[in-house]
Amino acid sequence: MTNTNRIINFSAGPAAIPESVLLEAQSNLFNYKGLGLSVMEMSHRSKAYDAIHNDAINDLKTLLNVPDNYRILFLQGGASMQFAMLPMNFAQHQPVDVIHTGSWTKKAIDELKKGYQYRVVASSEDQKFLGLPDASKISFNDDAAYTYMCSNNTIFGTQFKTFPTHSKRPLVVDMSSDILSRPLNVSDFGIIFAGAQKNIGPSGVTVVIIKDELLDTCHPDAPVFFNYTSHASANSLYNTPPTFGIYIAHLVFKRLLELGGLKEQEKQNTLKANCLYQAIDESSQFYCPVPKEDRSPMNVVFRHQDHNESIESAFISEAKAAGFDGLKGHRSVGGLRASIYNAQELAQIEQFSTFIREFSKKALVHSH
Ligand SMILES: *Cc1c(COP(=O)(O)O)cnc(C)c1O
């Protein structure tokens, strides 16, 4: 069922949530499964909430095929809190190897500067972050606490297609903007973390998938709330978790399983991204500044050929009038960006690609 009053939302985050999930949440909002109250009003220690919580964990485990020697945690504080929490727990005595690929790794580095040691082992800063280092060619330090990277650079529109699995130290990856977009081999990683508001659900939930081995090495002096073991030993119920956000995430996980899991999702995401990048590549007005091999299938960054900002704003307002919203590039880089996470459907991307083609034709006529 599609409500025609809804926009096609390309916001980078908080981002679109599948309509079927919103409608199911709506139908249960007032009186969850006849229990006489909403999920928001339930004790986090109640049986009904416990079922939601554990379903969410189990469904995510199934989706990502998470091995038994990993724990799934639902934390708060966003991905940004992880930038600080990681070194607090694991970098007290050893330096961190960092792959620097944009604004979000910069923020993680800024936290490391507060009393921790780190080495930038690869960087795409000299390409203004509009490309990525070759993951297979990076050399790492065997004495590092861990290797830190971001899989998908939300702002610059780049995504690592492969991971540097040759690092001997645990690989810690910020997957905020591409988790659940493709299957993963979870055993390649020490820690995967992601804020929920891009590809999972509402803001306020941060998913952390952590290897048991690492839990055993958390720094004992880290404040209780910032110690991963506090949350792991309490099954993410150390304190009141963001229950409603976890409830929505659980509906999203269920839907992905029903749709055939992450292999199927990856197929859809590839079709969507190919469709949109093709419209941009063929446009006489726009171009994508990222080389093909590094392009993100989640965040499609594009610009007017001459960086003409008045044409870019005309595009944004005409798109908005046609029902496409959230297309302004991140305030730090400008330009245009369409975020096309799992919730977006191929038909919507096709509509938008047609819009780009028509706008380009019209703009061409005006410029002659
Ligand atoms: C959005 C985003 C963040 C920040 O997330 P918050 O939950 O707002 O802290 C960090 N990393 C990446 C890759 C992101 O896309």
Side-chain angles (χ1 to χ4, degrees):
M1 180 181 139
T2 300
N3 181 339
T4 49
N5 292 327
R6 280 175 54 83
I7 58 164
I8 297 183
N9 178 12
F10 292 108
S11 167
I17 290 178
E19 291 194 352
S20 63
V21 166
L22 294 175
L23 291 169
E24 176 162 357
Q26 182 187 46
S27 75
N28 278 294
L29 185 71
F30 198 65
N31 188 348
Y32 180 74
K33 294 190 174 171
L35 294 174
L37 78 177
S38 131
V39 173
M40 273 181 272
E41 303 164 288
M42 268 175 206
S43 164
H44 59 296
R45 311 281 176 202
S46 66
K47 241 193 195 156
Y49 177 71
D50 210 47
I52 294 168
H53 192 85
N54 288 318
D55 268 6
I57 292 169
N58 291 332
D59 287 347
L60 184 55
K61 187 170 170 168
T62 306
L63 273 171
L64 277 168
N65 204 3
V66 179
D68 288 337
N69 60 328
Y70 284 76
R71 296 298 300 269
I72 292 174
L73 310 178
F74 295 128
L75 306 186
Q76 304 189 50
S80 300
M81 195 173 92
Q82 294 304 304
F83 300 162
M85 194 164 157
L86 285 161
M88 262 187 212
N89 281 273
F90 306 115
Q92 298 283 354
H93 308 295
Q94 290 163 285
V96 179
D97 279 356
V98 182
I99 304 174
H100 182 26
T101 53
S103 315
W104 294 116
T105 54
K106 162 97 174 43
K107 288 202 162 167
I109 289 170
D110 288 345
E111 291 296 335
L112 288 169
K113 283 182 178 159
K114 297 181 175 170
Y116 304 95
Q117 289 180 294
Y118 70 95
R119 295 166 291 215
V120 174
V121 291
S123 167
S124 56
E125 194 165 11
D126 57 352
Q127 308 165 62
K128 297 200 167 91
F129 302 118
L130 294 169
L132 291 173
D134 181 345
S136 67
K137 296 211 173 93
I138 302 171
S139 55
F140 296 100
N141 298 290
D142 291 348
D143 67 342
Y146 55 87
T147 300
Y148 182 87
M149 67 183 288
C150 176
S151 56
N152 184 79
N153 296 280
T154 325
I155 293 173
F156 297 97
T158 61
Q159 185 201 47
F160 280 97
K161 302 299 183 287
T162 58
F163 291 94
T165 49
H166 59 287
S167 158
K168 290 201 180 71
R169 305 297 302 144
L171 190 54
V172 174
V173 187
D174 176 358
M175 293 197 192
S176 293
S177 51
D178 70 348
I179 192 165
L180 302 182
S181 69
R182 55 180 169 178
L184 290 173
N185 183 18
V186 173
S187 29
D188 287 340
F189 305 92
I191 297 175
I192 292 167
F193 69 92
Q197 69 272 23
K198 275 93 185 214
N199 215 10
I200 296 178
S203 57
V205 182
T206 308
V207 169
V208 174
I209 303 171
I210 181 169
K211 203 173 189 172
D212 287 342
E213 229 169 85
L214 276 164
L215 276 174
D216 297 337
T217 68
C218 289
H219 197 271
D221 291 346
V224 177
F225 197 73
F226 299 100
N227 192 315
Y228 292 95
T229 55
S230 314
H231 300 283
S233 57
N235 192 29
S236 300
L237 289 158
Y238 167 76
N239 71 328
T240 318
T243 51
F244 195 74
I246 293 169
Y247 163 65
I248 301 289
H250 125 285
L251 294 179
V252 170
F253 300 153
K254 279 216 181 319
R255 173 180 175 270
L256 287 173
L257 285 171
E258 282 161 16
L259 291 176
L262 299 189
K263 253 208 170 111
E264 179 55 32
Q265 198 55 55
E266 181 180 43
K267 224 191 277 168
Q268 291 302 316
N269 287 333
T270 304
L271 290 171
K272 281 151 53 184
N274 287 347
C275 172
L276 185 47
Y277 280 116
Q278 194 186 348
I280 293 163
D281 287 342
E282 288 173 5
S283 163
S284 54
Q285 293 295 309
F286 300 109
Y287 79 104
C288 169
V290 178
K292 285 203 165 91
E293 65 275 14
D294 294 329
R295 288 178 180 179
S296 165
M298 300 277 99
N299 308 99
V300 177
V301 165
F302 56 113
R303 293 223 62 168
H304 179 260
Q305 308 245 345
D306 309 318
H307 294 195
N308 182 323
E309 285 176 20
S310 64
I311 294 183
E312 288 175 349
S313 1
F315 178 81
I316 290 169
S317 50
E318 284 187 34
K320 189 167 176 148
F324 307 106
D325 205 3
L327 290 163
K328 211 165 155 49
H330 190 269
R331 56 196 146 78
S332 63
V333 294
L336 304 157
R337 173 177 56 173
S339 296
I340 51 171
Y341 301 116
N342 287 351
Q344 240 100 25
E345 282 166 26
L346 180 59
Q348 300 176 312
I349 306 302
E350 285 168 347
Q351 274 180 39
F352 182 55
S353 300
T354 303
F355 177 83
I356 292 178
R357 288 202 166 85
E358 283 167 3
F359 182 93
S360 302
K361 258 190 251 161
K362 210 171 44 173
L364 199 61
V365 171
H366 287 314
S367 68
H368 279 270

